[in-house]
Amino acid sequence: MNALAPSLDLAPALVVLPGPRAAAADASRAQLIRAPEARDLFEHGPVLVAHAGMTAKRLGVHSPARSQGLFDALELFAFVRPARFCAPSAAGLALALGLPEPKGAAEQAKALREACHVLLAELALTPEPSREEALAIGETLARAGWAWGGAVIGTLRSAPVGNAFRGSGMDVWTRVSEWEEQAPPGEAGSRPIAPEAAAQRLTDLLRQAGLDEARPTQAQFAAEAAFAFSPREKEGEPRMMLAEAGTGVGKTLGYLAPASLWAEANGPAVWISTYTRALQRQIERESHAIYPDPKVRAKKAVVRKGRENYLCLLNFQDQANTAQLGGADLIGLALTARWVRATRDGDMTGGDFPAWLPTLFAVPPVGQASAANLVDRRGECIHAGCAHYRSCFVEKAVRGSRRADIVIANHALVLTQAAFDGARAARGSKADGETTQLKRIVFDEGHHLFDAADAAFAAALSGAESAELRRWIRGPEGRGRRGRGLEARLMEVLGDRDDAKRALVDATRAAAALPGEGWSGRVASPNGEVNPMGPIEHFVVAIIEQLR
């Protein structure tokens, strides 16, 4: 393997702990340094750190712009080990790489340098997903001024490289696997689950997880929960069960035991709905006891969230193309491109997208590149009309949930989907929605269900909501705004349907009556003057006057 790039050899490793307590380490020794020395080192470099933003905050200085002299070890980790977990610190890097946990600032500074050697050695041996693709993105990053560019390129070229990878490597949307359409799984069965079988399954799951036998309260919970997985006795009267268990009982495995038995006996799927995304991942971790093989688990236990949680390949393509023309942060997007090729399901909130990765993006006004703009938060999805529909992470999750044994969702998604399916049924559409096909569902954290229902079934009219609706229909009308209006999103889909095109034009024109740019200043200025434009702004002014 090639040695570290000469510029990095000259860069001392700097670790700043809360306080701040700082230490620097070069190739031969580590020593504690005073805060003024640490600030000077950080601001003028070259320097090796773990998380430049956090380091700057602890030193009380502004994070310097990316340069050839600022080596952030987290960026190297994101390149070498995309879609892997690492605590964003020198100690976290050491632990993630199997190194001894360093104690104190001086030890951590030495460990930080060692961690970078380990990462580059790993990159030399096993670059993901291929040496050629990693090299293409590495060269793109180097051209963008990435400090690690020289070290990464030299490391990748230390072994034979195959045919040159065409392009910058940023077009990862062309290499994401596509989903395949499958026949419907059919109607679920109705075989009952005996309490004894549920208790035995719980014992098996605990043994699989390496835990002791079930506590009496947990065993009782699993046996009682089997009631909800028995056939209903009367038509139109679903079998329901309300269960409460104190902290420490182990209710998750308690209901997963009968749920997994029912799914195996009757077909897909049991849905588990909880309140937060964090709890979804906690339940997914508990499912490891049911499906210890990761490949089996990926098919049998599927996490479902709203589409605003998943990477949108069309948005990524839009930003990547802009970045390569110099209009956005190419380094942050290139590191995200590495993640796109390694991610399990494209989940950017609670999945395998590192929580610290968005903090590595350049801060505007350099560009509009950010993790928030890589998901569909504005309802812009055109579904089957999208060029990436067959590769879409959301569509993969939807199709995966149709054949999974356990679908781990959240209250917001379940209730929003129920409202959508109900509206379709009211219009006479075929009852093939996700919630209309459910036979068994467990609402964990059920006391939050009422709040989630209020949000799902409520409608809001406000100046902000109306202005967002205008932007959604007409597209961005102010300078520096990104996004696509209805015309840009739908015109190609409409083809030669003149009636649909006329309706689209009518909707775009009508949206001019909604609040536009600067609406909040027109309806409530500090000096009391108001100058509303359009019916909604006049309505908002009337509400404000009524409330005074």
Side-chain angles (χ1 to χ4, degrees):
M1 186 199 77
N2 285 1
L4 294 178
S7 57
L8 178 58
D9 283 334
L10 299 175
L14 174 65
V15 168
V16 182
L17 301 181
R21 292 165 290 152
D26 57 21
S28 59
R29 65 192 180 95
Q31 60 181 344
L32 296 177
I33 60 176
R34 296 184 305 114
E37 296 175 273
R39 293 190 188 97
D40 183 68
L41 182 60
F42 181 71
E43 290 183 311
H44 300 100
V47 65
L48 169 64
V49 298
H51 203 310
M54 180 59 69
T55 303
K57 183 177 181 180
R58 287 176 176 172
L59 290 173
V61 299
H62 292 294
S63 182
R66 282 198 178 100
S67 68
Q68 292 291 343
L70 180 61
F71 296 87
D72 193 331
L74 284 183
E75 294 181 0
L76 181 61
F77 185 91
F79 186 92
V80 177
R81 289 193 172 190
R84 312 267 194 93
F85 174 77
C86 165
S89 66
L93 280 163
L95 291 174
L97 296 171
L99 301 174
E101 181 178 4
K103 306 293 184 182
E107 281 191 25
Q108 290 191 38
K110 291 178 62 178
L112 182 58
R113 179 173 292 279
E114 184 180 0
C116 293
H117 279 279
V118 171
L119 284 170
L120 288 171
E122 183 176 314
L123 181 63
L125 294 174
T126 55
E128 300 178 16
S130 70
R131 187 173 301 275
E132 292 73 25
E133 184 171 342
L135 181 59
I137 293 186
E139 290 174 340
T140 297
L141 282 162
R143 289 192 293 270
W146 191 41
W148 291 104
V152 163
I153 291 172
T155 298
L156 288 168
R157 290 193 178 279
S158 65
V161 180
N163 294 331
F165 198 86
R166 291 186 177 181
S168 65
M170 293 291 291
D171 56 343
V172 290
W173 53 87
T174 65
R175 295 184 295 281
V176 176
S177 63
E178 296 185 350
W179 49 264
E180 296 181 1
E181 197 67 79
Q182 295 179 307
E187 190 78 9
S190 57
R191 297 175 184 173
I193 301 301
E196 298 79 11
Q200 182 58 50
R201 170 55 64 92
L202 175 63
T203 299
D204 296 340
L205 295 182
L206 291 170
R207 186 181 302 112
Q208 183 69 41
L211 302 174
D212 297 331
E213 63 181 21
R215 295 179 291 276
T217 51
Q218 187 181 27
Q220 182 182 4
F221 186 93
E224 294 288 347
F227 170 86
F229 294 92
S230 299
R232 60 187 177 187
E233 297 176 348
K234 294 182 180 180
E235 184 69 26
E237 295 184 8
R239 185 170 288 256
M240 298 179 63
M241 176 181 178
L242 295 177
E244 183 177 7
T247 302
V249 168
K251 66 179 184 300
T252 302
L253 281 180
Y255 62 66
L256 283 177
S260 60
L261 280 175
W262 188 91
E264 291 172 7
N266 295 289
V270 177
W271 278 46
I272 310 294
S273 177
T274 190
Y275 188 51
T276 66
R277 292 188 290 255
L279 286 171
Q280 281 184 266
R281 286 299 174 185
Q282 179 181 323
I283 295 171
E284 194 271 338
R285 286 193 296 271
E286 296 277 8
S287 73
H288 291 199
I290 309 174
Y291 314 110
D293 186 326
K295 292 183 179 179
V296 174
R297 186 169 62 252
K299 295 181 179 180
K300 295 289 189 179
V302 173
V303 175
R304 280 293 312 280
K305 300 180 180 179
R307 65 177 54 251
E308 70 277 3
N309 294 281
Y310 297 91
L311 177 97
C312 171
L313 290 171
L314 188 60
N315 281 358
F316 182 85
Q317 180 182 7
D318 180 27
Q319 289 201 33
N321 290 339
T322 300
Q324 292 181 85
L325 296 175
D329 174 28
L330 181 56
I331 294 177
L333 285 169
L335 294 176
T336 303
R338 296 283 292 157
W339 170 80
V340 173
R341 293 287 282 132
T343 180
R344 177 181 59 185
D345 54 13
D347 182 0
M348 299 186 71
T349 57
D352 52 22
F353 188 76
W356 42 260
L357 188 53
T359 67
L360 305 184
F361 281 68
V363 178
V366 173
Q368 293 291 328
S370 72
N373 287 335
L374 294 178
V375 299
D376 176 23
R377 296 185 185 279
R378 302 182 178 95
E380 294 181 343
C381 182
I382 55 176
H383 302 280
C386 177
H388 308 307
Y389 180 67
R390 300 285 302 188
S391 305
C392 176
F393 289 114
V394 178
E395 295 299 326
K396 287 180 182 178
V398 170
R399 282 157 179 76
S401 67
R402 291 174 181 169
R403 294 187 171 276
D405 282 1
I406 304 292
V407 177
I408 306 165
N410 56 66
H411 299 345
L413 173 68
V414 171
L415 293 172
T416 301
Q417 190 63 42
F420 176 75
D421 292 342
R424 292 180 71 246
R427 294 194 300 267
S429 299
K430 184 180 178 181
D432 58 354
E434 288 189 280
T435 58
T436 57
Q437 299 296 313
L438 289 183
K439 298 298 183 183
R440 295 293 185 275
I441 182 167
V442 176
F443 287 105
D444 197 349
E445 297 288 314
H447 56 287
H448 291 296
L449 196 56
F450 302 102
D451 293 334
D454 284 344
F457 294 102
L461 174 63
S462 67
E465 292 283 348
S466 303
E468 179 63 15
L469 179 60
R470 174 178 175 139
R471 191 216 61 78
W472 184 80
I473 296 173
R474 295 175 64 89
E477 297 173 292
R479 296 184 61 185
R481 296 288 300 278
R482 68 174 299 279
R484 300 177 295 275
L486 272 179
E487 184 175 352
R489 283 179 275 131
L490 294 180
M491 193 57 72
E492 291 185 6
V493 179
L494 297 180
D496 57 358
R497 294 182 56 184
D498 292 336
D499 56 338
K501 290 181 178 179
R502 285 193 297 271
L504 178 59
V505 171
D506 291 343
T508 304
R509 290 175 177 172
L514 297 169
E517 291 287 329
W519 69 271
S520 58
R522 292 193 294 270
V523 302
S525 62
N527 58 14
E529 295 182 4
V530 296
N531 185 30
M533 298 173 57
I536 301 297
E537 291 186 22
H538 279 88
F539 177 68
V540 173
V541 169
I543 292 176
I544 293 173
E545 292 177 349
Q546 182 69 25
L547 294 175
R548 284 174 177 167

